Amino acid sequence: MSDHLGFPPGFVLGAATASYQIEGAAREDGRGPSIWDTYSHTPGLVANGDTGDVACDHYHRYREDVALLRGLGVGSYRFSIAWPRIVPDGTGPVNQKGLDFYSRLVDELLAAGIEPAATLYHWDLPQALETPSEGGSAAGRGWRVRETAERFAEYTAVVAEHLGDRVPRWITLNEPWCSAFLGYSVGRHAPGAKEGRGALAAAHHLLVGHGLAVRALRAAGVREVGITLNLDRNLPATGSPADLAAVVRADTQHNLVWTEPLLAGRYPDTEEETWGELISGQDFRREGDLELISQPLDFLGVNYYRPVVVADAPYRESDPDRRVATDNRYQEVPLAGARRTAMGWPVAPATFTDLLVSLKERYGDALPPLHITENGSAEEDEVSPDGAVHDTDRVAYLRDHLGALRAAMDAGVDVRGYYVWSLLDNFEWAFGYDKRFGIVRVDYDTQRRTPKDSYHWYRSLIAAQRG
Ligand code: IFM
């Protein structure tokens, strides 16, 4: 059942996870609380009241999980580091036990012949940076304030000093769109705020934090530095001028707000959109910020799952705070004829090729090499009487998206690696444990891991690629 897509030699085939989604051990070995602990423990915010307290218990079972990675044959494993394990209060004393955990994980990976790829921020902000703890030295207010970006750089420097010699690939932020807009505008992610302007400030401070972290990583002499964005391929619902304009709004808020400052050193300003105006002149902008944000990168991480079909929606100009809210800018409608995953997301692999090619067309030589840092699907998995999980839809999804990636490379896009999301079923944020993205099933009652058919398929693909 193997496919051979003929990726160039050295192309990385990997798998990805993130700290809060798999680690558990939320109150162990000095880890401080994060905004996701607070959010998930607030009744009504996460499906079934699920939390990351135990998750996949990876903190204790990391050796077993690295053995699964070794069995898979991946060249690289992307994991994230929980900031509150390293600096429990967001600023101040460093927790050696937290550093030791990641050090053990990295050594285990290296011993298995797997390159570690570390993400520094996959959404688990120390709670003290959102709301200061009594007697603590953090100012609070999360990414709304610049201080959080500065604390992020300090934490980055600590981690880089301890792991920089053994971890070759570093990702500063994962999907800052989610942190800024789901976290501070829509309220569907921690810290659950619903503020227009708060989201704008958060977006800018996340980018400043990225820039400061790049500097810290360079100072530590690490090999490769990048950032991961979740970029959308937005399609118009109809050819009407209103829907086409809505696509521009969607592209601007979802993609260009990040790619323009990072790759072109400016905020977007299109005929339809006024982000430059929204952001410039705000008191949180400082001279030199765009130079800091647009420092050269070794790679750009792209997470891709699905296209978004965009229809015009009433655009209420009256309330400036609501101008940045996603639901005030366009409306998503179903993609006719497409299968939907368990997330309700349409499956349309060719749009992956189109997104990657469009990035190359827009940025040309200013586009760094790409790593696909996440791609995968949640499916309604069932355990068969034989104990196996025959996840044929996920296999098809992965095969078709890897094919679409290959097509983009054939069209001239420089892509260096691909990480499947995810190695394990895990805590899918506001959806709790209901949505399963893993190529390995996790039974949350027993913590038993069962490789699904997709794991076996991916292993064959990797073996074929290695020749
Ligand atoms: O599970 C998430 C991950 O944390 C970030 N990217 C999207 C995935 C699936 O929703």
Side-chain angles (χ1 to χ4, degrees):
M1 65 175 185
S2 92
D3 290 88
H4 181 51
L5 292 164
F7 289 110
F11 187 84
V12 175
L13 286 167
T17 63
S19 48
Y20 191 73
Q21 295 182 272
I22 64 164
E23 285 179 1
R27 280 174 282 278
E28 220 169 300
D29 286 344
R31 178 186 177 279
S34 78
I35 55 172
W36 268 98
D37 294 288
T38 308
Y39 188 88
S40 65
H41 279 268
T42 306
L45 295 183
V46 173
N48 316 310
D50 290 343
T51 73
D53 287 1
V54 178
C56 308
D57 195 30
H58 170 79
Y59 190 78
H60 300 112
R61 294 167 196 263
Y62 71 92
R63 284 199 182 86
E64 188 186 340
D65 294 336
V66 173
L68 283 165
L69 288 162
R70 186 208 286 261
L72 193 55
V74 287
S76 179
Y77 171 56
R78 174 182 177 230
F79 61 97
S80 81
I81 295 173
W83 184 351
R85 275 196 203 287
I86 310 298
V87 190
D89 212 24
T91 181
V94 170
N95 178 34
Q96 187 58 42
K97 286 188 175 169
L99 284 169
D100 291 346
F101 167 67
Y102 295 106
S103 189
R104 290 195 297 276
L105 172 64
V106 164
D107 285 345
E108 191 77 12
L109 288 166
L110 293 172
I114 299 166
E115 256 190 4
T119 304
L120 285 154
Y121 186 70
H122 199 124
W123 310 346
D124 35 7
L125 183 74
Q127 180 63 44
L129 292 180
E130 180 66 30
T131 43
S133 54
E134 218 165 297
S137 47
R141 310 235 331 117
W143 290 105
R144 300 173 192 87
V145 296
R146 196 178 185 95
E147 190 200 310
T148 297
E150 287 156 7
R151 299 294 82 84
F152 179 58
E154 288 164 12
Y155 144 74
T156 298
V158 170
V159 175
E161 185 194 329
H162 285 82
L163 302 177
D165 55 336
R166 286 169 289 157
V167 176
R169 186 165 304 125
W170 291 84
I171 294 160
T172 55
L173 304 176
N174 179 71
E175 302 184 356
W177 183 87
C178 296
S179 305
F181 293 99
L182 294 183
Y184 291 89
S185 165
V186 182
R188 260 206 336 266
H189 273 194
K194 295 183 180 163
E195 314 155 5
R197 205 178 122 77
L200 271 188
H204 185 69
H205 293 138
L206 281 153
L207 286 168
V208 169
H210 157 80
L212 294 172
V214 171
R215 270 196 197 152
L217 290 164
R218 298 281 184 223
V222 308
R223 195 180 84 191
E224 286 175 41
V225 180
I227 183 172
T228 281
L229 305 176
N230 52 322
L231 299 176
D232 272 354
R233 180 69 179 162
N234 297 302
L235 308 170
T238 71
S240 74
D243 285 349
L244 293 172
V247 166
V248 176
R249 292 206 293 280
D251 271 347
T252 309
Q253 192 221 28
H254 214 106
N255 299 342
L256 301 181
V257 163
W258 311 103
T259 55
E260 287 289 286
L262 286 163
L263 304 178
R266 60 176 177 239
Y267 273 110
D269 238 333
T270 66
E271 213 176 298
E272 284 296 323
E273 279 294 358
T274 51
W275 283 84
E277 195 187 286
L278 271 176
I279 291 194
S280 65
Q282 299 273 12
D283 52 11
F284 52 74
R285 269 278 295 272
R286 297 225 185 124
E287 195 152 341
D289 279 357
L290 284 166
E291 289 73 32
L292 176 71
I293 292 167
S294 60
Q295 288 167 83
L297 297 174
D298 301 305
F299 66 93
L300 175 68
V302 174
N303 291 354
Y304 190 77
Y305 290 90
R306 55 145 179 180
V308 178
V309 183
V310 166
D312 183 36
Y315 182 37
R316 295 178 293 272
E317 288 279 3
S318 50
D319 176 358
D321 249 18
R322 299 230 357 110
R323 273 172 84 184
V324 293
T326 308
D327 61 357
N328 188 32
R329 306 173 72 78
Y330 53 87
Q331 195 182 321
E332 185 179 349
V333 296
L335 177 62
R339 181 180 85 77
R340 288 169 166 263
T341 69
M343 297 293 282
W345 295 349
V347 180
T351 60
F352 187 22
T353 314
D354 297 343
L355 173 83
L356 298 175
V357 169
S358 73
L359 274 175
K360 180 72 192 164
E361 282 170 0
R362 183 171 196 106
Y363 293 105
D365 291 343
L367 184 70
L370 305 181
H371 273 279
I372 307 309
T373 38
E374 288 180 27
N375 173 245
S377 70
E379 304 292 350
E380 307 289 353
D381 295 331
E382 277 174 28
V383 182
S384 300
D386 62 358
V389 180
H390 302 302
D391 55 340
T392 42
D393 283 340
R394 184 176 290 105
V395 170
Y397 180 100
L398 295 176
R399 189 191 53 230
D400 295 347
H401 281 79
L402 276 155
L405 168 61
R406 191 73 187 85
M409 293 169 72
D410 289 342
V413 186
D414 182 1
V415 187
R416 305 283 173 90
Y418 171 94
Y419 294 79
V420 70
W421 184 268
S422 175
L423 174 68
L424 303 171
D425 288 339
N426 59 47
F427 177 80
E428 178 55 23
W429 308 110
F431 297 93
Y433 296 99
D434 276 355
K435 304 294 178 206
R436 293 178 177 270
F437 273 92
I439 57 172
V440 173
R441 180 178 177 86
V442 175
D443 177 327
Y444 295 111
D445 294 329
T446 61
Q447 292 294 346
R448 180 150 180 249
R449 274 81 163 132
T450 305
K452 304 177 191 177
D453 282 4
S454 52
Y455 174 98
H456 299 298
W457 173 82
Y458 195 41
R459 188 182 56 186
S460 307
L461 176 89
I462 294 169
Q465 168 66 21
R466 287 193 164 169

